[in-house]
Structure formats: C-alpha cells, structure tokens
Amino acid sequence: MRIQAQEMQKTFEEILIGRSVPSDIAQIAARNFTQTSLDGVYSHGVNRFPRLIEYLDKGVVNPQGRPECVARVGNLERWDGRMGLGNVNATLAMDRACDLAAENGMGLVAIANTNHWMRAGAYGWQAANRGCIALCWTNTMPNMPAWGGKEPKLGNNPLVVAIPQSDGNHVVLDCAMSQFAYGKIEMARMQSQQLPVPGGWDTKGNITTDPAEIERSQRVLPIGYWKGSGLSLVLDLVAAILSGGNTVTDVGTRYTEEVGLSQVMLAIDPSHMNTKAMTDGIIQRVLEDIQSSTPAQPGESIRYPGQREKKVRAENQAQGIPVLDEVWEKICQLKG
C-alpha cells in the first residue's frame, strides 16, 4: 500500500501525543519519521516507528525530555538529552551546530543521554539545506564484534558527512560501521530477500548474505573488516569524551535497550571562505569526472552519495509512501 506523507505524519503525531509527548516535540519527531520514509529509507522511518512507541511504553525513553546545554566554550557546546526522543534531540542539536557555524564558521554540539536518532543521514541533509558541511555520528548499543572477536563489543556507530550544493543536490554520505545497518538487515528479512553482498556471520560461524541468520548470530560484518572495527572504536571514544556521556561499553553495561547514547554534531559554514559558486564548482568537477566512468555493469549508472534520495522523494510525494501492509496495520493499532 501507499500512504500520503500528510496522513503518515498526522498519524505519527497523534500516536506520540497519546503517549504524553508534547505537541511540539511530537511534530518534530513525526516530521523526521515521515521525511525519512519519503526519501525511501523505510528501515529507519515508518518501519522503525513502532519500536520508538515500544520504548515509550516501557518507560526507557522520556516522552517529555528536552535537551539542555550544560556547558559551553567558544563554538563548542555540551548538551544533556534528558533521555528524550532521539530524533528530536538530534534535530535540535544540529540546528544549534548550524547556528554556531553561521556565527563562527564552525560549530559543534556533543550530546549525552540521548536515544536512537533513527536515520543518520537526516541530520546531514538538515545541515546541507542550511548551506553547511556536516560531520555527525552516534554510538549505539554493543551490536558488532571487534575484528577477530565473536561477542558484540563495538557499536555499528553510524557516520554522516554532508556537503551542500546551492541547487539542493547535496552529497550526503550515511554509513554505519557495519556492512549493513540492522534496520536494512531487518528490512531484507521482512521482504524475504538475501543481502546483495555478505553482511555478517551465521550461527555456524560462516560469512553469509542471509539476514535472518545474521540477526540470530548478532555478528554483523564491519565495513573494511578491521578498518571498520577500528573506526567504530575511535568514533565511540570521541563521542563519549566530548559529550561526557556513555561509551558503547557503558550502554551495554547499564541498559538492556539501545538508550543513553552519545552523539556529535559538527557543522562548518563554507560561505565564510568561499562563494557558493566556488563550492559548487569544486563539487561539480569531481562528480562529473566520477560519473564519466565506464559502468562495470552495462546499463548501470555511477551515483554519488545522496543522489538517489531526491528522485525517490519526488516519486513518493506524488504517489504516496510505500508501506508494508502489516507494518501500517501495526502502527494504526497503536492509536488510542
């Protein structure tokens, strides 16, 4: 089925307000879930919404939590998320980082005691739409083994790098430190599909493309093998140090759910050094060169990170957002 974006956002808001979420927070959260779904990232949009409601019902996410700045030096701020809705905290933190960048050329907000921010790339698009280069990342619960180990000790700690173009065709890299985010693995399993390349180990210790086996083993494959493992570690440490919050190790020790996370939002305003034409020119020369490559598979095109989203967004705005019947039924049952 397909659901119009306006209906989806209204439904999300209604359900959140019914869980004692203030209307302004509910609106930001609902818009984030809907925009993520419009862009075709269903695994972290409409499909992930019921899990947030589950966390609210369990009391592990504070419906009324609002982020607060607890320390400031220059253009660096430390925030406490008060265990509120993660995608709202992240949205407000990135807005503030962009404000600081507009004033000073660069701004950084590190936030502790927050929760799952849903689609990582949302905050890259948010910053790029304000003309800012962005780097942001989060830690997670332990859900990935360190290279050479079996038990999940690291997080798949998604990292985003966004580079703005004045026409809105931004370059936005959104990647977890695992070959596939757990939401993508779940989506493949729900659609009875195999992953296109190996994404983890099965319960017998073999590399596999079977999403159900990976979910059972809880052994996802780090990107770049040992390189992804190392990058996950350093992102976790920097996030905890700057925010004063939990590491992946702390999250695994203190909680049974993926809550109490640490995140970093860094925004840089290139207009302090470049004109928009200069920045656009640099980007276009590189993208044109890359896209002039001969495709490895005849008929395929070479896409840059973020290129697909704009096309999918326009299609879903016109036709409605595709949703699995069972997912929408589950969401509608959450009303009241």
Side-chain angles (χ1 to χ4, degrees):
M1 69 172 66
R2 284 184 178 265
I3 306 296
Q4 291 298 318
Q6 185 176 8
E7 179 186 350
M8 180 175 286
Q9 181 164 334
K10 182 180 178 181
T11 299
F12 290 159
E13 285 188 44
E14 179 183 340
I15 293 169
L16 289 167
I17 291 170
R19 263 69 177 187
S20 301
V21 177
S23 59
D24 60 326
I25 295 178
Q27 183 179 52
I28 296 170
R31 185 170 61 242
N32 173 275
F33 276 109
T34 304
Q35 186 64 61
T36 293
S37 304
L38 270 173
D39 285 0
V41 190
Y42 314 112
S43 59
H44 289 69
V46 62
N47 290 0
R48 185 63 68 100
F49 183 78
R51 190 177 303 180
L52 170 61
I53 301 305
E54 176 188 343
Y55 279 21
L56 286 167
D57 290 345
K58 285 182 176 180
V60 296
V61 170
N62 178 6
Q64 312 220 1
R66 294 180 183 271
E68 178 183 359
C69 180
V70 294
R72 179 184 295 117
V73 56
N75 55 356
L76 168 65
E77 293 185 356
R78 174 179 285 182
W79 285 20
D80 188 322
R82 306 302 184 197
M83 298 299 282
L85 277 67
N87 58 352
V88 175
N89 285 346
T91 298
L92 297 176
M94 181 55 85
D95 262 344
R96 178 56 180 160
C98 290
D99 289 343
L100 290 168
E103 297 169 10
N104 307 296
M106 183 182 298
L108 187 148
V109 174
I111 182 168
N113 301 319
T114 191
N115 297 308
H116 198 303
W117 63 2
M118 306 305 157
R119 176 197 179 194
Y123 314 106
W125 282 96
Q126 177 186 344
N129 285 337
R130 291 191 57 179
C132 287
I133 294 170
L135 286 86
C136 55
W137 67 92
T138 181
N139 60 14
T140 70
M141 67 190 301
N143 59 16
M144 185 173 75
W147 186 250
K150 288 187 176 182
E151 299 84 7
K153 296 289 187 180
L154 300 175
N156 62 349
N157 303 346
L159 170 68
V160 176
V161 181
I163 305 159
Q165 295 195 79
S166 59
D167 62 1
N169 293 315
H170 312 312
V171 179
V172 182
L173 174 70
D174 173 357
C175 62
M177 293 301 102
S178 55
Q179 184 66 47
F180 295 95
Y182 271 95
K184 298 283 187 178
I185 294 171
E186 179 186 41
M187 186 74 171
R189 192 244 312 146
M190 291 172 69
Q191 295 180 333
S192 300
Q193 295 176 348
Q194 293 288 298
L195 299 172
V197 297
W201 286 266
D202 63 20
T203 51
K204 297 179 180 178
N206 302 309
I207 294 290
T208 184
T209 60
D210 185 338
E213 275 292 294
I214 296 169
E215 286 182 322
R216 280 192 284 269
S217 72
Q218 294 189 314
R219 291 182 64 193
V220 292
L221 186 68
I223 59 171
Y225 304 103
W226 50 88
K227 295 178 182 179
S229 175
L231 186 53
S232 168
L233 173 63
V234 298
L235 290 173
D236 178 36
L237 293 176
V238 174
I241 290 167
L242 292 180
S243 69
N246 292 317
T247 63
V248 170
T249 300
D250 297 330
V251 173
T253 301
R254 297 171 181 173
Y255 306 106
T256 57
E257 312 286 358
E258 191 169 48
V259 296
L261 307 180
S262 301
Q263 295 164 359
V264 175
M265 309 287 179
L266 172 63
I268 303 166
D269 187 346
S271 69
H272 287 269
M273 296 289 186
N274 290 357
T275 64
K276 289 182 179 179
M278 289 173 62
T279 298
D280 286 347
I282 292 168
I283 297 167
Q284 283 304 310
R285 286 196 303 274
V286 173
L287 296 184
E288 288 171 6
D289 181 54
I290 290 172
Q291 293 184 308
S292 71
S293 303
T294 303
Q297 297 294 328
E300 292 191 357
S301 59
I302 312 300
R303 293 200 306 248
Y304 63 83
Q307 184 175 5
R308 171 182 171 273
E309 279 88 338
K310 197 166 187 181
K311 179 181 178 181
V312 174
R313 186 184 308 150
E315 178 182 304
N316 286 348
Q317 283 175 331
Q319 301 179 21
I321 299 167
V323 185
L324 295 172
D325 290 359
E326 60 267 31
V327 170
W328 192 246
E329 288 171 9
K330 183 176 182 178
I331 288 170
C332 290
Q333 290 170 4
L334 296 171
K335 291 182 180 180

